[in-house]
Amino acid sequence: MGNQVVIAVGTFILLLTGLLLGYVLSQLVLGFLTFNLLTFFGTLSLILIFGTLYYVLFWQLQRDQSRPSTRNEGIPNQVDDGVSDSYLKNRLIAKLSGDTAAAERLIEQAKETYPGMPENWYCERVLDDLERDRQ
């Protein structure tokens, strides 16, 4: 939720700064605003604010997309693990046409590559990898 607030506020400020920058530049070009030191530094500061917000906003979006997806963040997994693990394993086995050994092998490879993650994360990771490879 916090990242969504940052993205929403950043987008609003970026939009507002872009509109203000466009207005100032159009007034300079049309000759209604005289070019002096004050308008130069004002325009430069608007460009810097716009560029910085643009960079930070899309950096935040990229960072959110590159994070591994965990659906139960902050929720204890003791009750949920048994159901979700078996469900995900069954989906994985079904995707592999019933090859249980291949499913276990892929999960073990994921555990070696990404140690320390919850069991259901490995199943989700293998399912996502299979889906991506089939496209």
Side-chain angles (χ1 to χ4, degrees), residues 60-114:
Q60 180 73 24
L61 285 171
Q62 182 69 25
R63 194 179 79 172
D64 285 349
Q65 289 176 354
S66 68
R67 277 192 194 155
S69 159
T70 56
R71 293 187 181 137
N72 296 331
E73 285 182 354
I75 300 172
N77 291 333
Q78 286 85 13
V79 177
D80 216 10
D81 272 350
V83 175
S84 64
D85 285 348
S86 63
Y87 172 73
L88 290 170
K89 280 187 182 179
N90 287 338
R91 273 187 54 203
L92 178 59
I93 291 168
K95 219 175 246 305
L96 295 171
S97 303
D99 192 354
T100 309
E104 291 296 330
R105 209 171 38 249
L106 288 171
I107 291 172
E108 287 303 317
Q109 286 176 350
K111 285 181 181 179
E112 290 175 12
T113 307
Y114 308 100

Side-chain angles (χ1 to χ4, degrees), residues 65 67-71 88 91-92 95 106-107 110 114 120-135:
Q65 289 176 354
R67 277 192 194 155
S69 159
T70 56
R71 293 187 181 137
L88 290 170
R91 273 187 54 203
L92 178 59
K95 219 175 246 305
L106 288 171
I107 291 172
Y114 308 100
N120 60 355
W121 186 88
Y122 294 114
C123 291
E124 287 179 356
R125 177 69 187 204
V126 171
L127 282 167
D128 290 343
D129 288 346
L130 285 173
E131 197 64 44
R132 188 186 65 236
D133 290 343
R134 289 190 178 172
Q135 289 178 354

Side-chain angles (χ1 to χ4, degrees), residues 36-47:
N36 56 27
L37 197 59
L38 182 63
T39 56
F40 173 73
F41 284 127
T43 306
L44 185 64
S45 67
L46 282 174
I47 290 171

Side-chain angles (χ1 to χ4, degrees), residues 1 4 13 19-21 25 38 68 72 76 78 112 114 117 124 134:
M1 174 91 173
Q4 292 174 347
I13 294 172
L19 287 172
L20 188 58
L21 180 60
L25 289 176
L38 182 63
N72 296 331
Q78 286 85 13
E112 290 175 12
Y114 308 100
M117 301 302 283
E124 287 179 356
R134 289 190 178 172

